[in-house]
Amino acid sequence: MSDVEEPIEEPVEEQDLDLEPEADEEEEFVAASGATEVKLFGKWAFDDIEIRDISLVDYIAVKGDHATYLPHTAGRYQKKRFRKASCPIVERLACCLMRKGRNSGKKLMAVRIVQHTLEIIHLLTDQNPVQVVVDAIINSGPREDSTRVGGAGVVRRQAVDMSPFRRVNYALYLLATGAREASFRNLKTMAECLAEELVNAARGSSNSYAIKKKDEIERVSKSNR
């Protein structure tokens, strides 16, 4: 009888052993499925980003399909008018840093600067730095501008409303220009200057180059209404 019982017990032990790796595989699958959330640089989530200006929702691309791991999608956004509105907003900021000849085409350098900038913003504000970038762009875009009207030697300036798309474009230009001028011939790095510019602009502080320029543009256009 002892000879008969032994082979019966052995397969039971083998079944128990076979069940353990299946459980491990399930745990691994659950862990892998939880990592599907897209985070910028693997750290900053896009889900809780809020665009507080309703007119700019369509032109600041941060959610859904526009959420990326890196601000480097290699998309051909210049091939068609308005296509760059679908370019992730952090990538557009990185592209704006590639200015002034010696920096043109150095996108990996621009991406690295943006990564360091976001880290510094998080240390300064303890907020999601992507939200700070979005707030800075909303606050920095002029809502009114003045254009030249007339001809035959008689030229005057006329105030005009600025479109939401141009507001975003102009805000990015002003933020990048302010950071570039602040870091030129300065011990501060570009990332530190850009972080300071973005934080001040997000708060609406007049210490920001972009906010000062925006107020100046709006003041001139108000006098030309």
Side-chain angles (χ1 to χ4, degrees), residues 51-57 138 143 167:
I51 301 173
R52 297 185 176 90
D53 191 331
I54 194 171
S55 66
L56 300 181
V57 170
I138 290 170
R143 291 158 293 189
R167 278 182 66 190

Side-chain angles (χ1 to χ4, degrees), residues 73-91:
T73 58
R76 303 196 301 169
Y77 298 106
Q78 298 299 324
K79 297 297 286 182
K80 197 170 170 108
R81 193 181 184 197
F82 293 114
R83 188 175 287 175
K84 65 182 179 181
S86 61
C87 179
I89 198 67
V90 181
E91 181 173 359

